[in-house]
Amino acid sequence: MAFVGGAFVIALSGQERSPYFLGQTLTQPVLSRVRFERVNQLRTAEVRKQAQQDVPNYFRLNQGLLDVVKSEMNDLRAAVNSTESFEKFAATGTNPWSLDEASFEALHRLGSDEEAAAKFKKECDAILHRLAGSNMVERADLSREIRSTASVVQLDRGSGVFEAVPKERLTYAVNSEHVERLAERVVPRDFAGAARPVFVAVVKKAITPAPDEFRPVNVFDQDYTKKKIEEAGGLDPVKDSYQVGDRLVQAGVIDGEALALLKAEHEEYLRQRHVEPLLKTQWIKETIGLFGLIVLITGGLAVFTHLAHPRITERPLRALGLAALLLVMLLCERVVLVGMSTSPIWSVATIAMTAAILTIAYSQRFAIGATAALALLTVLTLEAPFGLFLVHLVVITVTALMLEDVRTRLKMVELGGITAFAAATAALFVGLMMQEGLQYVAKQAAFAALAAFAGISVVLVLLPVIERAFRMTTSLTLLEWADTSNPLLRHLIEKAPGTWQHSHLLGSMAEAAAEEIGANGLLVRVGAYYHDIGKTCKPHYFVENQSSKTSAHQNLAPSMSLLVILAHIKDGIAMAREHGLPRVLHQFIAEHHGTTLVRYFHARATQEARASGREEEVSETEFRYPGPKPHSREAAILMLCDSVEGAVRALQEPTAGRIESVVHEIAMARLMDGQFEDCDITLKELARVEQSIVKSLQAFHHGRIAYPRGPEEPVSHVVRSA
């Protein structure tokens, strides 16, 4: 139920987000489910920009210019009135206005009394008024953030009220012709008689005091213009209204504007869903349906898991690990794909990862079934089309079938390439079937290939973490432990070389026999290398490590010898745990003798009992290994190989017939002793294992031909060849 709840929450939260993404190709138009309004960002931006462009430039009267002109005119009249004659005026040497005698006399005739002064002031004010009423501005290319497209400008002629003036009526202070015409116009033709040109020059000089300096009549008010532009940019947004059933987006590729519109409709739908009775009822039905589908998928997964791998359902931790893996992958799809509003095809990465992990951890069949359940949950969570599930199935099948055994890193790289090709091909055909655009189909196929390769690559990088999390051992790890440079294996070779030779021989025999019946040959070979590791604690008590003819057990009672022999099982398990030997190899240490009888020391104990006159039989139970019996075919094969190797080695003449007879007798003895009761090896497989072991032993104990020696050559130098 926890898995159902977790999957339901993840899937339901995925459906809270819009299922559309940028670049998606729609085969059908999308209709609105609710009535809503949406700000048209594009239209709003256009309207606001147009409004800002329509803002005219604002100018204010340059009062400083008028003051300069007025002051200059008053100074001119005062200078003339202060001198009686032009000669005296010229003698002062101060003539910035370049007055000639005629101009001086004309100004002098204006008089210096109060009446003349009042008249002059009145005429000057008229000149200033006409100057203030002119349309002269700075220049045409004024600096502002948004270029103005208005046909008018706004002029404040000193009253604080702006007046619209068409641009064609403007004159510019940077244009000397405009300045000259303005000066001629504002100074009346009958003003000051011959001195009029002087006053015209005063106006011109006031406007252009230097070649690169200008005092326009109207100065650009940049701050006020900027304020008006900002106000125009703050216009109310333009809203589009949509009714239920209105077409939002046409069939085709979703662009940025279409995606924003679809998201706005979805957000409004989520809001109205909680208040509109009809929408609420529809949502409840949809939620119940989603929950029911998740329950069915979970139930099917549980039944399949129980049938395909009962050990998972029997062990809560394994079941919890499987559920956690599927939920984490589903959550990744929800957070990454739905959260980023990207194409659901990227979910191929998590599907490929899950298929690879479950294949390595369990089996191909289980990986296909369990990952297919995840693919169904993915389609529900992402609200993706059914075609995505077909792509997932192809990726799952290819990954599981190609990942039967991983013994090299290159195998994973090859798997990534093949899976990527299969994903791209499936995405291509699914896209064509759904009549999507070729460009979109090609893009989705490329995404599928990248996602598949990325998923397999992540598994390759995280393989050690995956092994530890699932307590499993891959072929890569087994090969690492099969390396003779491994410290534990080096310890065996150095402390018990005879045991190592025995273990190495068993590894070759057991691997060939396991592969004959489809068992894991690499596993049983590495298990054979470590099955007698406990003998390194007391190596000289085992015959293969004894260099002299005197046995270390000669002076020990059979019961004491039994304890030494049985101890190598317990010591081996302790050493395996100490050195971190994979748990899958522990079975070969604990089970390679099963509960068989230690026949040699049982016979010695029986003889000693008879010699001492005791009539009771020595119980076989006391002289049996503690077990357990083999629980796997690989452990059963190693038990049989271990039993027959020593027996055949003890034969005086190991001919083919004798070897076959010994192997069969021991196999039947182990079978009748019930040693194979707890493993699933069949009689047919047992017969094939016997045949394989016989072939291996015949190869090891083949006959030898003695080469004839020369007349001078000692016997010890005769070379024997296999």
Side-chain angles (χ1 to χ4, degrees), residues 319-376:
L320 181 61
L322 175 62
L325 172 66
L326 298 181
L327 288 178
V328 166
M329 292 300 178
L330 193 62
L331 183 61
C332 288
E333 295 167 347
R334 161 65 182 88
V335 173
V336 177
L337 300 182
V338 178
M340 296 178 60
S341 296
T342 187
S343 174
I345 198 67
W346 287 103
S347 62
V348 168
T350 56
I351 295 298
M353 288 175 58
T354 306
I357 292 173
L358 294 182
T359 302
I360 294 172
Y362 299 109
S363 66
Q364 295 170 322
R365 183 180 67 168
F366 179 74
I368 292 174
T371 315
L374 174 63
L376 288 173

Side-chain angles (χ1 to χ4, degrees), residues 32 46 75 113 150 156 264 335 341 348 431 461 469-471 486 533 541 548 552 557 569 571 580 595-596 658 665:
S32 177
E46 292 177 352
D75 290 345
D113 55 4
D156 177 7
V335 173
S341 296
V348 168
V461 173
F470 283 86
R471 295 184 178 181
N486 183 277
I533 194 68
Y541 280 94
S548 63
I569 301 293
D571 294 339
T595 58
T596 57
R658 290 183 178 180
E665 288 177 3

Side-chain angles (χ1 to χ4, degrees), residues 575-593:
M575 293 179 66
R577 291 172 178 168
E578 180 183 354
H579 288 81
L581 191 71
R583 293 189 61 85
V584 71
L585 298 178
H586 290 197
Q587 61 174 322
F588 298 101
I589 300 175
E591 300 174 5
H592 73 277
H593 285 299

Side-chain angles (χ1 to χ4, degrees), residues 213-249:
E213 186 179 352
F214 308 99
R215 292 197 193 100
V217 178
N218 298 284
V219 180
F220 178 56
D221 191 340
Q222 186 173 2
D223 293 339
Y224 191 78
T225 304
K226 183 178 180 180
K227 177 183 176 182
K228 288 296 184 180
I229 292 175
E230 291 176 351
E231 290 177 357
L235 293 177
D236 292 338
V238 178
K239 294 184 178 180
D240 296 332
S241 297
Y242 298 91
Q243 303 298 322
V244 177
D246 284 354
R247 182 169 59 186
L248 300 178
V249 179

Side-chain angles (χ1 to χ4, degrees), residues 3-33:
F3 179 82
V4 172
F8 176 69
V9 170
I10 294 173
L12 187 62
S13 66
Q15 293 190 345
E16 294 294 304
R17 299 294 298 269
S18 174
Y20 303 103
F21 57 90
L22 189 65
Q24 180 180 0
T25 298
L26 299 176
T27 57
Q28 299 291 334
V30 179
L31 305 181
S32 177
R33 296 169 292 178

Side-chain angles (χ1 to χ4, degrees), residues 57-339:
N57 293 324
Y58 286 82
F59 296 86
R60 295 188 185 275
L61 179 64
N62 188 358
Q63 189 62 46
L65 172 66
L66 301 183
D67 293 341
V68 168
V69 173
K70 182 178 181 180
S71 175
E72 195 70 18
M73 288 182 176
N74 291 331
D75 290 345
L76 174 60
R77 183 173 181 276
V80 171
N81 290 335
S82 64
T83 310
E84 297 178 357
S85 64
F86 178 75
E87 289 78 8
K88 291 182 179 180
F89 176 78
T92 61
T94 56
N95 187 12
W97 305 279
S98 302
L99 288 175
D100 56 11
E101 187 174 359
S103 300
F104 180 86
E105 292 298 333
L107 287 173
H108 205 272
R109 285 195 294 269
L110 293 178
S112 59
D113 55 4
E114 292 183 2
E115 183 179 352
K119 182 180 179 182
F120 180 79
K121 179 179 181 301
K122 182 178 180 181
E123 290 178 343
C124 286
D125 289 343
I127 293 174
L128 295 177
H129 180 72
R130 284 193 291 270
L131 185 60
S134 68
N135 298 327
M136 176 168 283
V137 297
E138 298 181 52
R139 56 186 181 276
D141 54 339
L142 293 171
S143 175
R144 52 182 276 176
E145 295 179 358
I146 299 178
R147 178 176 171 271
S148 175
T149 60
S151 60
V152 299
V153 297
Q154 295 287 342
L155 300 182
D156 177 7
R157 303 187 187 278
S159 63
V161 179
F162 286 97
E163 173 188 348
V165 177
K167 285 185 175 180
E168 57 269 17
R169 292 173 52 188
L170 297 178
T171 59
Y172 302 96
V174 296
N175 191 317
S176 59
E177 294 182 2
H178 290 183
V179 173
E180 187 171 350
R181 287 201 300 268
L182 176 62
E184 291 287 346
R185 189 171 65 251
V186 299
V187 180
R189 294 192 177 277
D190 58 349
F191 179 70
R196 178 179 179 276
V198 178
F199 288 95
V200 171
V202 168
V203 174
K204 289 195 294 185
K205 186 177 180 181
I207 296 175
T208 57
D212 296 327
E213 186 179 352
F214 308 99
R215 292 197 193 100
V217 178
N218 298 284
V219 180
F220 178 56
D221 191 340
Q222 186 173 2
D223 293 339
Y224 191 78
T225 304
K226 183 178 180 180
K227 177 183 176 182
K228 288 296 184 180
I229 292 175
E230 291 176 351
E231 290 177 357
L235 293 177
D236 292 338
V238 178
K239 294 184 178 180
D240 296 332
S241 297
Y242 298 91
Q243 303 298 322
V244 177
D246 284 354
R247 182 169 59 186
L248 300 178
V249 179
Q250 296 181 350
V253 180
I254 297 179
D255 57 14
E257 178 63 20
L259 181 62
L261 176 59
L262 292 172
K263 286 186 175 181
E265 187 271 347
H266 188 72
E267 291 174 359
E268 184 62 22
Y269 165 76
L270 294 179
R271 190 189 68 81
Q272 295 188 21
R273 189 181 64 186
H274 298 288
V275 295
E276 292 290 337
L278 180 59
L279 294 178
K280 189 173 184 179
T281 302
Q282 292 175 348
W283 177 70
I284 292 175
K285 291 179 180 178
E286 181 181 355
T287 304
I288 294 174
L290 176 64
F291 181 78
L293 288 175
I294 292 177
V295 170
L296 291 177
I297 294 172
T298 305
L301 176 61
V303 173
F304 173 77
T305 302
H306 179 72
L307 295 177
H309 264 280
R311 288 184 300 175
I312 297 178
T313 55
E314 293 170 0
R315 300 180 181 180
L317 286 179
R318 285 184 176 270
L320 181 61
L322 175 62
L325 172 66
L326 298 181
L327 288 178
V328 166
M329 292 300 178
L330 193 62
L331 183 61
C332 288
E333 295 167 347
R334 161 65 182 88
V335 173
V336 177
L337 300 182
V338 178

